């Protein structure tokens, strides 16, 4: 139940993020969640979208370097300590997080967290064993 | 086998004596036979009497490619046309082409140095050589041809191109030596594979590759794919063509036949000779040529020279592979930088595109700043910042260790560096803007 995340290499140049997002918009791709990791010289845009394969294709067609990375999207109770609870489970089981970012689901009162793990399969199993709900690709597409 | 042991293995003192005597004769010869040289020598205050020892060579003026172009076609000839046996012309992409003329004696000299080169690479009389350098105005094909005849090889003059035929000839006639450009050697390996042949089973045991600069990693690639010993040959039509210097089977520098082509290494900025072993521009004086003898010809190739005796027994100095060209040299914080040095680092790295640009800038009251833009190859893209950062750091460290100056490396998106139909614009110097 891994989710496809799109990663896009962005040169540190004016309008580059706009270019990427408008290409997705023109092609009817809807962004569910996004974050940017930046350095002094470049940035990496990470997005979860409703049509992952198509998104990568149109980005590449337009000269962007983009690929698909497997991430895990977990449901987090939207209340104090909700995220901490999940992190404790991961920490107790020695699961290392590469990076994470969150977004709020529109239809319920739950928040969703996107995690990138070193060992995605193992992390996923541990989350499930501890009763934490993991969102699948269809659910992301249907959000 | 050493073709002319008595000169190729001559002790230093004797060699120096021979060079001194030949230099004196050369200066006398051009002074008497070429009006352009006479005028130049006169205005430098040099007469044939000034030259007594090879070390006096520094008193002579340099000759450049521009001088050859300006005197096009016959100005630098020291023999009348009727004594010229053969003419070759370089491509001349900018301005006049460079024309060179050989007397019969020059052709004999060319045959002789090429025979030395073929032996140096490991050839033996009786071997079959496939000469896949172009024949014609380009000096490659005929230079090898003359040398091969001189040393008693069996020549297959295939010239370049018609790759399928080249491969068929190789299979049918089993030549031991292949002579062509390094890139054509790789192309033939590819073509052989596509034709269902195993290129490592080719009959070629010795490759003599030149006419373009090539790296050690390219050598490994050629040797692996064709199963032969790949040696480097150097030459330029202004001096004679191929046969100016050649690697022996120890592959540790190219032996320059210094009894006939006297090498100096100079700082391209000041014109002063540099210490042995240091990098600088290769300057060659043709000690025994008749048609177009050249005094201190600036080759524009950056090399270093090793004067130690080689394990093969030859005493002739060994010139390194070409490290760069003075044409594209840039001076950053007082240090000479060649785009080719940076290119070597990038080409050796997996997943890095061949496109890069060097941007030099100087902010007020501060040092020159060097930014190197490198196009990211899709295969190397990772969404983990630390991987991309690691790549930048790796490129930066390798370039810094070669250039000895600090640089910034910036990864950029593919196809963002300007493409050019001719020579790529590798350097953007904003300091004078």
């Amino acid at each position: 139940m891994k989710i496809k995340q799109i990663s896009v290499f962005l040169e540190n140049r004016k309008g580059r993020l706009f270019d990427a997002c408008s290409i997705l918009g023109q092609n009817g791709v809807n962004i569910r969640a996004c974050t940017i990791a930046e350095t002094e010289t470049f940035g990496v845009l990470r997005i979860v979208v409703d049509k992952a394969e198509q998104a990568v294709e149109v980005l590449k067609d337009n000269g962007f370097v983009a690929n698909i990375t497997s991430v895990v999207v977990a449901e987090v109770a939207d209340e104090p300590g909700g995220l901490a609870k999940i992190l404790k489970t991961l920490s107790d089981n020695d699961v290392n997080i590469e990076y994470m970012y969150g977004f709020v689901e529109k239809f319920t009162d739950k928040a969703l967290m996107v995690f990138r793990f070193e060992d995605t399969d193992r992390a996923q199993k541990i989350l499930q064993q501890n009763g934490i709900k993991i969102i699948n690709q269809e659910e992301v597409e249907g959000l | 086998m050493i073709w002319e042991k008595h000169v190729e293995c001559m002790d230093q003192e004797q060699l120096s004596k021979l060079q001194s005597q030949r230099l004196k004769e050369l200066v006398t010869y051009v002074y008497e036979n070429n009006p352009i040289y006479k005028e130049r020598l006169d205005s430098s205050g040099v007469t044939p009497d000034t030259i007594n020892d090879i070390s006096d060579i520094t008193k002579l003026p340099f000759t450049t490619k521009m001088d050859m172009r300006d005197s096009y076609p016959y100005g630098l000839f020291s023999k009348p046309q009727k004594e010229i046996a053969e003419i070759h012309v370089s491509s001349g992409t900018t301005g006049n082409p460079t024309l060179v003329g050989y007397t019969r004696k020059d052709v004999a000299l060319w045959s002789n140095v090429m025979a030395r080169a073929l032996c140096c690479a490991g050839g033996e009389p009786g071997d079959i050589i496939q000469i896949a350098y172009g024949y014609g105005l380009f000096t490659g094909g005929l230079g090898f041809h003359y040398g091969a005849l001189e040393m008693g090889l069996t020549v297959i003059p295939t010239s370049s191109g018609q790759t399928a035929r080249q491969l068929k000839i190789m299979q049918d006639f089993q030549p031991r030596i292949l002579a062509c450009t390094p890139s054509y050697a790789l192309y033939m390996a590819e073509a052989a594979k596509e034709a269902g042949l195993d290129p490592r089973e080719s009959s070629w045991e010795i490759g003599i590759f030149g006419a373009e600069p090539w790296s050690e990693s390219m050598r490994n690639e050629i040797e692996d794919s064709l199963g032969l010993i790949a040696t480097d040959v150097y030459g330029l039509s202004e001096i004679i063509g191929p046969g100016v210097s050649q690697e022996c089977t120890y592959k540790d520098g190219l032996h320059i036949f210094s009894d006939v082509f006297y090498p100096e290494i100079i700082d391209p900025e000041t014109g002063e000779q540099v210490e042995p072993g240091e990098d600088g521009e290769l300057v060659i004086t043709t000690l025994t040529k008749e048609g177009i003898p050249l005094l201190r010809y600036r080759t524009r190739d950056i090399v270093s020279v090793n004067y130690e005796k080689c394990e093969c027994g030859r005493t002739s100095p060994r010139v390194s592979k070409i490290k760069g060209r003075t044409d594209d040299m840039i001076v950053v914080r007082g240090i000479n930088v060649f785009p080719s040095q940076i290119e070597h680092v990038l080409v050796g790295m997996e997943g890095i595109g061949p496109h890069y640009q060097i941007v030099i800038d100087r902010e007020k009251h501060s040092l020159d700043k060097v930014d190197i833009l490198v196009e990211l190859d899709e295969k190397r893209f990772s969404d983990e910042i630390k991987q991309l950062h690691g790549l930048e750091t790796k490129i930066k460290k390798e370039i810094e260790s070669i250039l000895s100056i600090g640089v910034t490396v910036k990864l950029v998106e593919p196809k963002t560096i300007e493409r050019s139909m001719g020579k790529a614009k590798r350097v953007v110097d904003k300091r004078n803007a």
Side-chain angles (χ1 to χ4, degrees), chain B residues 133 144 178-186 188 204 206-212 214 218-219 222-223 226 228-234 246-247 254 321:
Chain B
Y133 282 107
F144 268 85
L178 170 66
C180 63
T181 62
S183 42
Y184 193 54
L186 277 180
M188 283 210 269
W204 302 315
I206 298 169
I208 308 178
F209 305 124
E212 60 189 21
W214 49 304
M218 192 155 172
R219 189 206 302 274
I222 294 174
E223 291 193 336
L226 285 173
L228 46 66
I229 292 173
T231 66
D232 195 358
V233 61
Y234 172 81
Q246 165 71 44
E247 269 180 338
L254 289 80
K321 273 181 172 291

Side-chain angles (χ1 to χ4, degrees), chain B residues 167-205:
Chain B
L167 292 170
K168 168 127 178 68
I169 283 169
M170 181 272 289
Q171 285 177 290
D172 294 352
F173 306 157
Q174 299 283 298
R176 181 171 178 243
I177 308 173
L178 170 66
C180 63
T181 62
S183 42
Y184 193 54
L186 277 180
Y187 183 79
M188 283 210 269
E190 278 303 305
K193 253 185 238 162
E194 277 166 28
L197 306 171
D198 181 356
R200 277 164 303 184
E201 288 181 359
S202 70
S203 65
W204 302 315
E205 290 173 12

Side-chain angles (χ1 to χ4, degrees), chain A residues 5 7 9-11 13 16 37 39 41-42 44 46 60 65 67 69 98-99 116, chain B residues 376-378 381-386 388-389 392 408-414 416:
Chain A
Q5 172 198 264
S7 304
F9 179 79
L10 291 179
E11 205 177 301
R13 196 148 46 92
R16 228 27 209 154
T39 74
T41 55
F42 63 86
V44 174
R46 296 159 181 157
K60 283 189 177 177
V65 178
N67 66 12
T69 316
E98 297 280 349
Y99 57 78
R116 170 90 164 92
Chain B
L376 178 68
D377 192 295
E378 216 166 84
F381 175 55
S382 157
D383 82 311
E384 285 175 46
I385 297 281
K386 65 181 176 201
L388 294 173
H389 238 322
E392 277 187 344
T408 311
V409 170
K410 286 183 184 169
L411 291 175
V412 298
E413 291 171 28
T416 50

Side-chain angles (χ1 to χ4, degrees), chain A residues 20-73:
Chain A
C21 291
S22 63
I23 284 160
L24 292 174
Q26 283 156 22
N27 286 278
V29 176
N30 202 0
I31 299 173
R32 301 290 184 216
C34 86
T35 181
I36 290 182
E38 86 280 0
T39 74
E40 228 173 277
T41 55
F42 63 86
V44 174
L45 169 68
R46 296 159 181 157
I47 48 177
V48 176
V49 299
D50 56 348
K51 298 166 206 152
E53 310 288 347
Q54 197 188 330
V56 169
E57 204 173 301
V58 298
L59 285 167
K60 283 189 177 177
D61 285 349
N62 283 279
F64 283 92
V65 178
N67 66 12
I68 292 183
T69 316
S70 291
V71 292
V72 176
V73 179

Side-chain angles (χ1 to χ4, degrees), chain B residues 199-363:
Chain B
R200 277 164 303 184
E201 288 181 359
S202 70
S203 65
W204 302 315
E205 290 173 12
I206 298 169
I208 308 178
F209 305 124
E212 60 189 21
W214 49 304
S215 60
E216 280 303 318
S217 55
M218 192 155 172
R219 189 206 302 274
N220 295 336
E221 210 179 324
I222 294 174
E223 291 193 336
D224 285 349
S225 58
L226 285 173
L228 46 66
I229 292 173
T231 66
D232 195 358
V233 61
Y234 172 81
L236 56 168
S237 64
E238 297 92 312
I239 299 303
I240 203 147
V244 173
S245 61
Q246 165 71 44
E247 269 180 338
C248 67
T249 46
Y250 290 93
K251 298 185 279 193
D252 186 19
L254 289 80
H255 288 280
I256 182 160
F257 305 120
S258 64
D259 57 313
V260 287
F261 305 127
Y262 184 77
E264 295 172 82
I265 307 295
I266 62 157
D267 179 328
E269 295 275 283
T270 64
E272 301 282 322
Q273 290 193 352
V274 302
E275 293 295 315
E278 275 182 27
D279 288 354
E281 181 179 348
L282 177 64
V283 171
I284 298 175
T285 299
T286 62
L287 293 176
T288 60
K289 261 173 74 181
E290 281 187 343
I292 307 185
L294 294 176
L295 301 181
R296 307 190 83 197
Y297 184 70
R298 296 188 61 156
T299 64
R300 302 196 281 190
D301 290 320
I302 300 294
V303 296
S304 62
V305 175
N306 177 359
Y307 290 91
E308 280 167 32
K309 185 179 167 180
C310 179
E311 277 187 76
C312 74
R314 289 176 183 83
T315 48
S316 45
R318 280 168 287 159
V319 180
S320 69
K321 273 181 172 291
I322 298 169
K323 298 176 182 181
R325 299 269 303 162
T326 57
D327 320 54
D328 52 23
M329 186 179 80
I330 34 181
V331 183
V332 180
R333 289 177 232 156
I335 292 172
N336 298 341
V337 172
F338 299 96
S340 55
Q341 295 174 297
I342 291 164
E343 194 162 324
H344 278 155
V345 171
L346 298 177
V347 165
M349 260 183 214
E350 204 189 328
I352 289 298
H355 298 285
Y356 67 93
Q357 196 162 55
I358 305 163
V359 183
I360 303 159
D361 207 351
R362 181 183 294 158
E363 279 159 29

